[in-house]
Amino acid sequence: QVQLVESGGGLVQAGGSLRLSCTASGRTISSASMGWFRQAPGKEREFVATSSATTGNTYYADSVKGRFTFSRDNAKNTVYLQMNSLKPEDTAVYYCRARFGATGEYDYWGQGTQVTVSS
């Protein structure tokens, strides 16, 4: 069983920065596609960033491109989301996701960490 634990959320003023971490246990993430998603109150969960285990490519939502940076440290079994130039509209619960298997059929989510950006 894979467990994902996010940390690093908090309250920050607009223009500030936060770094989220997601540490996996139960399986190494080196073979997983890892991603960050977020869900604001009253809205559906949306994609933020993802890193492919096979291609090594990283993809970002247009709304965070140029401000957020995804990174992974396979030795620590951890992925990060560096968030700069935060905006009030970035306020959400941020979730980490790990997908294993040829078609990503083994799908795991963390419990989420709250990010609140004040104006």
Side-chain angles (χ1 to χ4, degrees):
Q1 183 70 15
V2 174
Q3 289 190 323
L4 303 174
V5 178
E6 301 99 333
S7 61
L11 173 64
V12 64
Q13 288 188 333
S17 299
L18 284 174
R19 189 177 81 153
L20 306 183
S21 300
C22 170
T23 299
S25 61
R27 192 167 177 179
T28 178
I29 66 168
S30 59
S31 61
S33 290
M34 301 295 297
W36 287 97
F37 290 72
R38 66 186 182 186
Q39 188 168 17
K43 295 187 177 181
E44 293 187 353
R45 193 171 296 188
E46 65 176 8
F47 162 75
V48 175
T50 189
S51 170
S52 169
T54 52
T55 67
N57 293 332
T58 302
Y59 304 92
Y60 297 93
D62 288 342
S63 59
V64 307
K65 205 171 292 183
R67 300 187 298 121
F68 290 10
T69 303
F70 182 104
S71 61
R72 61 196 296 163
D73 185 338
N74 289 336
K76 294 184 177 181
N77 230 31
T78 299
V79 297
Y80 305 93
L81 187 68
Q82 177 66 44
M83 306 186 295
N84 299 328
S85 302
L86 283 161
K87 305 175 181 180
E89 51 265 42
D90 294 319
T91 295
V93 178
Y94 283 71
Y95 296 91
C96 177
R97 183 185 193 185
R99 301 184 71 184
F100 299 85
T103 58
E105 65 268 31
Y106 302 101
D107 193 359
Y108 303 93
W109 292 85
Q111 83 289 348
T113 186
Q114 176 70 48
V115 172
T116 303
V117 184
S118 63
S119 56

